[in-house]
Amino acid sequence: MMLSRILPAAIGGVIAIPIILLNLSAIGSWASFEESMGDEASSAVPPVLGGLGKSLNSLWGGHVASNERAAIFDAERLTKKRVVTYRRSISLDMVLEPGETPPHPDFHDLFILARAPTLSTERCPEMLAKFATACAVGRISISEGRNSPPVLSTTYGYLPGYDFGDTSNIDKAELEREFVDLVDRKGNERIREGDLPALRAAIYDLAIQECASLRADKGSCMITDLRITEIADAKRPGFYRVHAKSVMKWLKGPEHAGPGMAAMRDGSSRHSVADDATVAGFFTKVASTVKDTVTGSASASKPAPDKPVVRNGGNAFRSAGSAKFQKVDPG
Amino acid sequence: MGPNKLLLAFAGLIGVAVFLGVYKDDLSGGDENTAGGGDGTVTGLVVDMGGGGGVSLTNTDIDPDADPEKLRAADMFGWKSYPPAMAAADDTILNAHAVLTGLPTKRRLRQQPADYRILAHETGCTPRPPQAGERLVNISIGRAERPTDLHAYSEAEMAEDSLKWLTQVLNGKNYLKDDGIVRDHFVPVADVVLTDRSAPLYLVLQNGRNDVLWNLHAVPGVRIAHVATISAGTVALNPVPGEYGIQMFRAGGECVPKVARRPMEFWGLFQREQDDELRAIQARMAGNHATYDAWFRKAFGQPSEQGTIGFDLTHHVLVGPVPENKEARVPYRPIQGATVLITPQDYIFTAPKRDRVAFMMDLQRQLIAEAAGGDMAALSPAPMERTVQ
């Protein structure tokens, strides 16, 4: 018995070790391997950047990938399984302070990227006002457009501030999902820049409403990826193309597998909102919600809170790692 | 220690033995690099296994008998040659071992100059004209690639490096090393061996892309009349002793056009399946060449392609006859320990990697902090929370 274990290990070692060493050398990683094994290199470079990447990644919580359900329905921890993805056109002017001298063109891209996290926090107060009890800037990337300004993509983690239903069956249940178009992609409408905040508020409300409807039918619902895109129209300065869609997920358990579930499985209710929000529906659905929002009569699954107060520190929110909270006036 | 551990240790020893057997030559320290000769004593070269970011050289690099005709292939913009290839007159190719002794051939070898002196770019647009009786040596390469531990950084390059690093950080890439923010910007070396004693030589050293360190060699009896370098990048020069002028011209501006070879049919640019994009590149390169040729004729009184020596990717260049026999070969002139001339740059290093990286990390951090508005904490804003339900 012992020999049957030892022999493969020995053979594996004989084969693997030289191959690993040869490959390290061949792919040019020998140097880093050598550094990692040596004392000199490890003490040569001080960690002056303070593990920035690690601190950003720690915002995503510690859920293991295999337990997606627990991550999604954990209302106390941020997770990359429950996010808002916001894409917008970005320019240097948007990140410079008023009156700040622009840097040399060689530094434009770096300035834009380095200030994108702070710029991205501007969206958090409106999320906190509508559907989130906490909001954290997670991943950020910038893509270059060929004939258009660069596009900033920010992924936020959030804690749900809406009723996501009964999760008592979470251990036995399976996840199901639905894709919802909140603003139809086929629409050719352009939105004036000044109308974007109201439109986003309407989109949040719509997502909450859709999730509330699903919760009523399925027993639970979480908005796991709300995606909003606002791209500047190169031909019409001051106007934007807007798209929005969302992924909703719920727990499918025996106690909630009613007729609605059967309908979902055959796909008949997929894109149910898209049916309403086609080209014509863009204004009938979203614009009316904009109006409701502006007049203060929008309905959500949970009443929108009073003007949120974002406080420094905070006892209510316990699980954002060691990150300190900042004080922000949500406006 | 149990039997499992014993056997695994034994397996490890065998693995190490295999590795050492394969790379014995690399790990030995390079006896040929300690050979003496020439005006510089070739001693104390360092085989830097920790350089990182170096180029992978082919096995022919260590083959002094490699067939030189097998050491080049047509690439997008001309010949791409492989060590130990040496470019010579009339677009011919040699094995550099036929010309040089003590040639550093080790993988990842990085020579480190002892010091540098700044030589400012010429402010005028016209090089010293060739004088009667001088022979114009027209060397034009696309690029070199053999690394050295002479590094030159512009702030624009530093910003680009910071941008790449920050892009990975903010995009959530795991396992980032802090020192990954500092990238190598070595000045690659191209060796120029002068064996032409027929007339005083006026060297015109041109490179079309990137940076280059021209490492001059001259056999006794060679006379250098003048050296002019033309490049859009950082240029360094390890000059041979002598009384001659050196001018360094910055190409690519309004004064001196970018170095551009005449497009040739054998280039990949013409051999690949043609489309509008390739045709546009061909037209642009032809235009660049016409502009450069016109400037070259005015500056030197001959076409830019007359007697040109050099490949698109070049490691060594020979100017003059091949040594008649092995004993007459030219001792390699090391960069290691030399004081080189270099055009101005924001940061220049002749230092081991760990010192350079430690220094540059601090600068890169300051650059990012400034870009972020003065505080690195702005890169990782704190979460916000709602406190009114």
Side-chain angles (χ1 to χ4, degrees):
Chain A
M1 187 63 183
M2 180 71 84
L3 191 64
S4 67
R5 288 183 183 176
I6 293 171
L7 209 54
I11 293 171
V14 168
I15 295 171
I17 290 172
I19 288 174
I20 290 169
L21 290 172
L22 286 169
N23 278 305
L24 278 172
S25 178
I27 65 175
S29 295
W30 172 256
S32 56
F33 171 73
E34 192 181 55
E35 280 180 8
S36 69
M37 300 300 285
D39 295 334
E40 183 188 37
S42 62
S43 60
V45 181
V48 293
L49 299 174
L52 177 62
K54 290 173 191 167
S55 70
L56 283 173
N57 284 329
S58 69
L59 292 175
W60 292 111
H63 291 287
V64 293
S66 59
N67 200 346
E68 185 181 3
R69 286 164 302 173
I72 289 173
F73 287 94
D74 184 342
E76 295 190 344
R77 292 211 290 178
L78 295 166
T79 168
K80 59 187 173 186
K81 299 292 183 183
R82 184 181 57 237
V83 296
V84 174
T85 307
Y86 176 61
R87 297 176 70 241
R88 67 189 297 187
S89 300
I90 189 170
S91 64
L92 182 67
D93 293 341
M94 295 168 71
V95 300
L96 291 179
E97 298 291 332
E100 183 179 1
T101 305
H104 186 278
D106 290 338
F107 296 84
H108 282 188
D109 289 347
L110 181 62
F111 267 59
I112 291 173
L113 183 63
R115 298 184 183 198
T118 300
L119 181 72
S120 295
T121 60
E122 289 180 0
R123 292 288 86 84
C124 275
E126 62 190 41
M127 292 185 214
L128 295 173
K130 286 293 182 182
F131 64 92
T133 59
C135 167
V137 174
R139 291 184 176 180
I140 282 179
S141 63
I142 294 181
S143 56
E144 292 292 334
R146 259 194 174 181
N147 299 310
S148 58
V151 174
L152 164 66
S153 177
T154 305
T155 306
Y156 302 84
Y158 80 94
L159 300 186
Y162 51 89
D163 183 2
F164 50 84
D166 177 17
T167 61
S168 58
N169 61 344
I170 193 164
D171 291 339
K172 304 171 191 168
E174 294 177 7
L175 275 176
E176 292 206 332
R177 67 182 179 183
E178 181 175 341
F179 298 90
V180 179
D181 288 329
L182 300 168
V183 175
D184 197 297
R185 193 173 267 276
K186 289 176 288 188
N188 290 318
E189 296 80 4
R190 299 291 182 266
I191 307 299
R192 200 181 295 273
E193 186 172 7
D195 293 335
L196 290 174
L199 179 56
R200 281 196 300 272
I203 290 168
Y204 299 145
D205 286 339
L206 199 53
I208 294 165
Q209 288 171 18
E210 292 301 322
C211 203
S213 298
L214 280 167
R215 189 186 71 243
D217 189 24
K218 321 294 183 192
S220 60
C221 175
M222 192 70 87
I223 301 168
T224 56
D225 192 359
L226 174 59
R227 297 186 174 208
I228 302 175
T229 301
E230 298 171 352
I231 303 296
D233 187 339
K235 295 177 182 173
R236 291 181 71 191
F239 283 81
Y240 286 76
R241 287 180 287 119
V242 178
H243 306 302
K245 60 184 178 181
S246 179
V247 180
M248 316 281 186
K249 290 187 179 177
W250 63 88
L251 296 167
K252 175 200 167 192
E255 63 273 34
H256 294 125
M261 190 65 72
M264 188 63 58
R265 277 194 293 271
D266 67 16
S268 58
S269 65
R270 284 177 64 85
H271 300 282
S272 55
V273 177
D275 293 341
D276 296 332
T278 52
V279 177
F282 173 84
F283 277 122
T284 58
K285 187 92 181 181
V286 176
S288 64
T289 320
V290 170
K291 186 182 171 188
D292 290 346
T293 305
V294 171
T295 58
S297 60
S299 61
S301 62
K302 193 169 185 176
D306 295 331
K307 185 177 175 182
V309 176
V310 181
R311 71 183 183 191
N312 193 16
N315 299 319
F317 184 63
R318 294 164 295 177
S319 49
S322 58
K324 294 178 180 175
F325 292 91
Q326 63 175 1
K327 194 168 188 174
V328 174
D329 179 4
Chain B
M1 186 180 281
N4 266 341
K5 288 182 179 176
L6 268 174
L7 271 172
L8 282 171
F10 177 67
L13 283 173
I14 292 175
V16 170
V18 170
F19 177 78
L20 290 176
V22 171
Y23 286 107
K24 179 181 65 178
D25 196 34
D26 275 352
L27 297 170
S28 65
D31 54 352
E32 65 186 302
N33 293 332
T34 57
D39 54 72
T41 305
V42 191
T43 56
L45 288 193
V46 176
V47 177
D48 179 5
M49 296 294 285
V55 293
S56 260
L57 304 177
T58 65
N59 284 334
T60 56
D61 189 42
I62 56 173
D63 183 2
D65 301 319
D67 178 358
E69 290 303 329
K70 294 179 179 174
L71 296 177
R72 68 175 169 180
D75 203 22
M76 196 68 174
F77 304 115
W79 291 118
K80 181 179 184 180
S81 66
Y82 303 92
M86 175 175 259
D90 300 324
D91 203 32
T92 55
I93 187 168
L94 306 165
N95 185 324
H97 289 284
V99 176
L100 289 165
T101 58
L103 186 67
T105 59
K106 301 302 179 186
R107 296 165 67 91
R108 302 186 183 288
L109 174 68
R110 285 177 184 244
Q111 299 183 67
Q112 181 186 307
D115 202 356
Y116 64 85
R117 298 281 182 273
I118 298 291
L119 187 61
H121 285 107
E122 289 292 310
T123 52
C125 303
T126 310
R128 164 194 175 281
Q131 307 294 305
E134 292 176 358
R135 188 196 156 205
L136 193 79
V137 176
N138 183 6
I139 296 174
S140 185
I141 68 172
R143 63 193 167 94
E145 71 172 16
R146 301 197 74 171
T148 66
D149 256 334
L150 172 67
H151 290 252
Y153 293 76
S154 68
E155 289 194 336
E157 288 170 328
M158 291 163 61
E160 196 173 321
D161 293 347
S162 292
L163 182 69
K164 287 175 182 168
W165 185 86
L166 193 57
T167 297
Q168 295 180 76
V169 169
L170 296 181
N171 205 19
K173 184 174 180 183
N174 289 312
Y175 311 117
L176 280 172
K177 289 172 69 178
D178 278 348
D179 62 356
I181 196 172
V182 179
R183 296 185 177 227
D184 280 358
H185 287 277
F186 62 80
V187 183
V189 59
D191 299 307
V192 177
V193 182
L194 307 171
T195 60
D196 184 353
R197 302 181 179 96
S198 63
L201 305 178
Y202 185 133
L203 305 181
V204 184
L205 307 174
Q206 308 147 83
N207 66 302
R209 303 195 296 282
N210 304 348
D211 306 334
V212 68
L213 164 53
W214 297 106
N215 185 27
L216 300 187
H217 302 61
V219 298
V222 164
R223 292 162 291 166
I224 299 177
H226 194 72
V227 176
T229 70
I230 302 165
S231 172
T234 300
V235 175
L237 179 70
N238 186 23
V240 293
E243 292 290 325
Y244 54 91
I246 299 170
Q247 292 179 294
M248 293 185 165
F249 289 89
R250 188 199 301 276
E254 293 180 359
C255 192
V256 180
K258 275 186 70 174
V259 175
R261 298 293 304 266
R262 181 175 63 212
M264 305 283 279
E265 278 299 318
F266 74 90
W267 291 12
L269 185 64
F270 295 92
Q271 296 299 317
R272 295 185 186 181
E273 190 175 343
Q274 299 295 296
D275 57 24
D276 289 344
E277 191 176 353
L278 281 186
R279 279 187 282 270
I281 296 172
Q282 291 165 9
R284 191 167 67 242
M285 296 197 75
N288 290 345
H289 168 67
T291 304
Y292 185 70
D293 184 57
W295 177 85
F296 195 96
R297 286 171 187 263
K298 193 176 169 186
F300 300 110
Q302 69 164 63
S304 64
E305 289 293 322
Q306 181 177 315
T308 313
I309 305 175
F311 304 133
D312 184 50
L313 174 58
T314 307
H315 312 284
H316 315 285
V317 174
L318 175 66
V319 178
V322 179
E324 293 176 357
N325 52 52
K326 282 190 172 183
E327 288 66 35
R329 287 183 299 171
V330 182
Y332 182 79
R333 189 160 174 264
I335 303 293
Q336 184 76 23
T339 296
V340 298
L341 303 171
I342 188 168
T343 51
Q345 194 48 280
D346 294 323
Y347 297 95
I348 297 170
F349 293 89
T350 53
K353 180 178 182 180
R354 62 175 177 275
D355 297 342
R356 172 172 51 88
V357 169
F359 184 87
M360 290 301 289
M361 275 181 71
D362 202 37
L363 285 178
Q364 299 279 41
R365 186 189 61 78
Q366 290 173 27
L367 197 59
I368 289 179
E370 184 184 343
D375 187 359
M376 289 282 278
L379 298 171
S380 181
M384 299 181 194
E385 65 172 347
R386 180 203 297 176
T387 55
V388 176
Q389 298 300 316

